[in-house]
């Protein structure tokens, strides 16, 4: 851990250099509270702190008591009472946090500095407790201001602006950034001191035992990293209980934005610091002369994923030979596996996280790594030209021979399934022979033979489920090895057990995307304009997965109009396919020729590259599309509560539909692909082109060329009543280019004005000006949090408006970003907008796509960073940007234990419910094998005589009860013949956090690569093209 000592000198120099700047900024940036507290804040400190350039600010408790809420006044509304309780939680939380910061300084730092002999040098103390005094100062100032707000709470009820004023300052980000970036290094110094200095270790133990809550130094020092997420949760609760129109509401939304931005930046810095620490730890385990050491030291590698996995080795018969934990590192271009070696006193790990040392076992280039699922070996590699060896199997061959115990491992499962398939074919032949018997026998007839077939079919289903379950937590990788004597390549199989299915999904997904990231168009795929002129994209950035023609017919020059994603989950996809494919469902692409016919192309996304499944013409060019999901149960229940009589006559809601708006003024409504893609409805409200479509739970809105919004209500069948005359709302004289549906309003644009309509009564509430230039028509509106971003027909700016007050909050010039790719091009126009997972996608008329970070929560979606510019784009304007998103099915996330705990599946047919398994009598030995029974409890009710060498015992009533203890289910033999194991299909559904698969689709003319050093053609074909970016799975 020599890195800690080297870092100490750097930290001391940094503190000397920043001390005077800190004093100046403290005096300037805290003016907002200086009038009320200037007399009570004094600059004092010991001589050592003055030498270091620090300003120590003490806040005497007598002059500034901690904030306390007074008695609750009478007549408060329920929301006011809740807001008061949340304020109390904020006060209590902040008091506890400040106390923790003081404990670190008073119980640890000060005694260590004064201790003789020194348990930790002053230089190392500065490293360990770096920036803690400044953080305490920030929160002491915040606590003073909080005291005044609490005192006047019952008259003002405002807290949001205080958070904005306190935590939007650059100095807060600076001190917290320094602390977070130094945290890993501080822990390294503490860990080394624990291992080498018994006096320091004893000091930590005594301090922990003396504290009332037994919190360790590590537990206290991690609190600053957790502080802002705690603030965010408290402010979210406060915002939920603050009604629209309340004077504190906008301030709370802005405060959420500031805190989320701050937390995101700190999280990213912590992630980068941890990544560097992991790579440095790995470098220390590699010989200085090795090629791997040179590669890791080049600075060109990003750590995408690292985790402790269990490597398992299986023998030829599927028996488990050994298992051992390994640390696996996924870098952007290689995979590294290392042995884990924990050294040192285990008792230290209770005081500070004890990191392991690594010994690299193997590393391989990423393009040569293949994921091989159980049962899918044939399709993964060429068996004739590749020799497969199981890693570690040869070395332990003797051990497997000496062991009599056999564990059926995953490599065995597929062979067992094939054996069952062969046995079923034989039993089917036996069934044909039984049908030729002349006699009638009670236990040998067609009924019994068919029961055998059903039992084998069910066993095959159980085996398929076992294979699927084996895939969920087993990561099987095929890695390249040396060639054999004949020159054939030898590959070896490595099997890792992941902690849970979620981990397996993450590994397969990141391996897949990392390989795509190595393609030339993604090297690099994004430019990040930083101060140091570097352009290194972060690890989470979207990756260009593929580019495909938008229309299958190249004979016609078709223009793109619109695109929508129709999410449909497929139960046929395997585990890896789910982890690597694009979001499940179908992509509808519409377009055509101006003044001529239109075309719709439907792509299947259930694979890594989309495939056309259907293409059909329409009467006119498609200008817009809208996907309308079927009503949720909650919406149906709300509808019933509002009008019970109408709901009683209303049929069930229809399947999802896709609405098309055409150039000739027609609106077409289609069923989804799974229901035959039939045209359900057609209407022509007039000769005016339909420029945009949006829906609410009750209406379908169409924006027309003549400045009218047509609203279609639902009919009794749940579809839109296109035959009835729509409600027409005039919002202006120009075209209605874009619509936006919010919770209870609809925004409609006309020229540079936006009209807000009530979604229920369809009455105009108000109209506001979105741009001072009358020629700048609003062309796009997109909502995120409590704001709406707008783009215009002229100019390169996008503008942000508040959804509640309609206040203009921010304006961003996109041209300043695009000049990094096309210098000198200032006349830029925004042609498409999209917000997805904290990123604002902006498409321009030059084919360039810009990504800007925005907050994800309920706050104001202000742009808070410089963003990125895509080096992949189109030759012409970006006609549209769309998102395809699907959620992984919950059963994919179940592990084997949950499946075993699932309820027993009932057999097909009208058989009785299955009973519990009775234990066999003591001492009775069953023959090893499988009893083929499915529906039949007994054959005694069947006609004919019993074929048996023994006389059958008669039960009361004269009927035999053979196999009475068997209940019609399958019992499989385990390794011990005395144990019978019931196969349990998975039926229980447990709650799991959703995992979203996300892809972004852009459409435009051709494909263009904007990287000047790339060998790819600058601008290729000019046919309509789709670019599809894949985003790493959000786990």
């Amino acid at each position: 851990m020599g890195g800690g000592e080297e870092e100490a000198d750097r930290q001391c120099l940094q503190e000397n250099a920043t001390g005077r700047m800190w004093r100046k900024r403290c005096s300037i940036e805290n003016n907002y509270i200086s009038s009320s507290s200037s007399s009570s804040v004094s600059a004092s400190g010991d001589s050592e702190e003055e030498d270091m350039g620090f300003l120590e600010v003490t806040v005497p408790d007598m002059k500034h008591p901690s904030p306390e809420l007074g008695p609750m006044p009478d007549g408060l509304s329920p929301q006011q009472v809740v807001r008061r309780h949340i304020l109390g939680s904020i006060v209590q939380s902040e008091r506890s946090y400040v106390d923790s910061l003081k404990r670190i300084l008073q119980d640890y730092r000060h005694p260590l500095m004064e201790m003789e002999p020194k348990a930790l040098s002053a230089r190392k103390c500065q490293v360990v407790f770096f920036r803690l005094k400044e953080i305490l100062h920030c929160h002491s100032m915040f606590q003073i201001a909080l005291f005044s707000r609490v005192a006047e709470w019952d008259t003002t009820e405002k807290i949001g602006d205080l958070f904005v004023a306190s935590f939007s300052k650059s100095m807060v980000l600076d001190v917290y950034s320094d602390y977070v970036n130094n945290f890993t290094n501080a822990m390294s110094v503490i860990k080394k001191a624990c291992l080498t200095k018994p006096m320091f270790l004893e000091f930590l133990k005594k301090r922990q035992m003396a504290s009332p809550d037994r919190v360790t130094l590590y537990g206290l020092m991690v609190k600053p990293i957790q502080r802002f997420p705690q603030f965010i949760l408290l402010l979210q609760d406060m915002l939920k209980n603050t009604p629209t129109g309340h004077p504190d509401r906008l301030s709370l939304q802005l405060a959420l934005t500031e805190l989320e931005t701050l937390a995101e930046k700190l999280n990213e810095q912590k992630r980068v610091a941890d990544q560097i620490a992991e790579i440095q730890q790995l470098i220390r385990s590699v010989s200085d002369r090795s090629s791997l050491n040179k590669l890791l030291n080049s600075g060109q590698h990003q750590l995408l994923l690292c985790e402790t996995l269990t490597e398992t080795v299986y023998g030829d018969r599927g028996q488990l030979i050994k298992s051992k934990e390994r640390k696996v590192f996924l870098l952007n271009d290689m995979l590294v596996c290392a042995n884990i070696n924990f050294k040192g006193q285990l008792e230290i790990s209770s005081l500070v996280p004890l990191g392991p040392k690594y010994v690299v076992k193997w590393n391989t280039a990423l393009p040569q790594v293949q994921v091989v699922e159980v049962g899918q070996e044939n399709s993964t590699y060429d068996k004739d030209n590749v020799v497969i060896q199981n890693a570690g199997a040869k070395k332990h061959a003797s051990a497997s021979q000496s062991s009599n115990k056999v564990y059926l491992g995953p490599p065995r499962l597929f062979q067992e399934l094939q054996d069952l398939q062969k046995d079923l074919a034989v039993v089917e032949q036996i069934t044909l022979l039984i049908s030729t018997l002349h006699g009638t026998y009670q236990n040998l007839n067609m009924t019994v033979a068919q029961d055998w077939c059903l039992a084998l079919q069910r066993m095959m289903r159980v085996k398929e489920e076992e294979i699927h379950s084996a895939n969920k937590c087993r990561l099987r990788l095929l890695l390249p090895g040396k060639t054999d004597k004949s020159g054939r390549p030898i590959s070896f199989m490595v099997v890792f057990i992941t902690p849970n299915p979620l981990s397996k999904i993450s590994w397969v997904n990141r391996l897949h995307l990392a390989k795509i990231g190595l393609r030339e168009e993604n090297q690099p795929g994004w430019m990040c304009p930083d101060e140091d002129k570097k352009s290194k994209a972060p690890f989470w950035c979207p990756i260009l997965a593929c580019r495909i023609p938008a229309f299958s017919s190249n004979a016609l020059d078709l223009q793109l109009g619109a695109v929508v994603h129709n999410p449909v989950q497929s139960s046929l996809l395997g585990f890896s396919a789910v982890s690597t494919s694009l979001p499940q469902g179908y992509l509808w692409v519409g377009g055509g020729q101006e003044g001529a016919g239109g075309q719709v192309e439907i792509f299947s996304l259930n694979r890594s590259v989309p495939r056309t499944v259907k293409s059909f013409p329409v009467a006119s060019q498609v200008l817009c599309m809208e996907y309308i999901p079927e009503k949720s149960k909650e919406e149906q229940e709300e509808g019933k509560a509002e009008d019970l009589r109408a709901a009683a006559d209303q049929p069930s809601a229809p399947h999802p539909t896709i609405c098309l708006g055409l150039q000739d003024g027609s609106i077409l409504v289609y069923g989804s692909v799974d229901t035959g893609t039939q045209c359900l409805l057609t209407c022509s409200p007039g000769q005016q082109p339909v420029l945009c479509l949006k829906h609410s739970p009750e209406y379908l809105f169409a924006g027309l060329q003549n400045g009218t919004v047509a609203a279609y209500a639902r009919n009794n069948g749940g579809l839109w009543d296109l035959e009835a005359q729509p409600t027409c709302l005039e919002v202006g004289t120009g075209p209605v280019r874009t619509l936006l549906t919010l919770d209870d309003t609809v925004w409609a644009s006309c020229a540079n004005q936006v009209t807000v309509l009530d979604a229920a009564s369809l009455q105009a509430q108000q109209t506001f000006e979105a741009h001072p230039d009358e020629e700048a028509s609003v062309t796009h509106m997109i909502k995120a949090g409590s704001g709406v971003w707008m783009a215009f027909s002229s100019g390169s700016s996008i503008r942000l408006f508040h959804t509640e007050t309609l206040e203009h909050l921010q304006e961003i010039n996109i041209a300043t970003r695009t000049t990094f790719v096309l210098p000198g091009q200032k006349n830029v126009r925004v042609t498409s907008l999209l917000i997805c997972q904290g990123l604002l996608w902006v498409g321009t008329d030059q084919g360039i796509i810009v990504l800007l970070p925005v907050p994800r929560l309920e706050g104001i979606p202000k742009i808070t960073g410089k963003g990125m510019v895509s080096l992949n784009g189109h030759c012409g304007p970006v006609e549209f940007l769309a998102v395809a998103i699907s959620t992984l099915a919950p059963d994919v996330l179940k592990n084997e234990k949950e499946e075993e705990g699932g309820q027993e599946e009932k057999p097909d047919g009208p058989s009785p419910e299955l009973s519990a398994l009775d234990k066999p009598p003591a001492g009775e030995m069953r023959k090893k094998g499988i009893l083929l029974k499915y529906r039949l409890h007994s054959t005694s009710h069947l006609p004919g005589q019993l074929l048996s060498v023994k006389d059958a015992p008669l039960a009361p009533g004269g009927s035999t009860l053979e196999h009475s203890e068997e209940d019609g289910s399958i019992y499989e033999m385990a390794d011990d013949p005395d144990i019978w194991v019931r196969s349990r299909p998975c039926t229980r559904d447990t709650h799991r956090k959703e995992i979203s698969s996300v892809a972004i689709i852009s459409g435009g003319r051709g494909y263009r690569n904007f990287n000047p050093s790339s060998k790819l053609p600058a601008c290729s074909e000019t046919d309509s093209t789709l670019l599809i970016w894949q985003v790493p799975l959000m786990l």
Side-chain angles (χ1 to χ4, degrees), residues 662-675:
L662 305 187
Q663 177 79 37
D664 65 3
S666 301
I667 298 176
L668 310 180
V669 180
Y670 285 87
S672 64
V673 177
D674 288 353
T675 57

Side-chain angles (χ1 to χ4, degrees), residues 9 37 59 89 112 186 242 321 338 341 355 555 557 668 696 711 724 893 951 985 1024:
D9 293 325
S37 57
V59 185
S89 298
L112 284 170
T242 304
I321 295 174
N341 183 17
D557 184 21
L668 310 180
S696 70
L893 302 180
D951 293 333
S1024 295

Side-chain angles (χ1 to χ4, degrees), residues 81 179 265 301 452 479 516 547 605 649 698 754 782 794 876 955 969 1029:
V81 173
Y179 182 83
K265 288 179 179 177
H301 297 277
W452 295 344
L479 307 175
I516 296 176
R547 57 181 192 268
L605 297 183
D649 300 330
E698 300 304 327
V754 174
I782 193 81
S794 62
S969 58
W1029 282 268

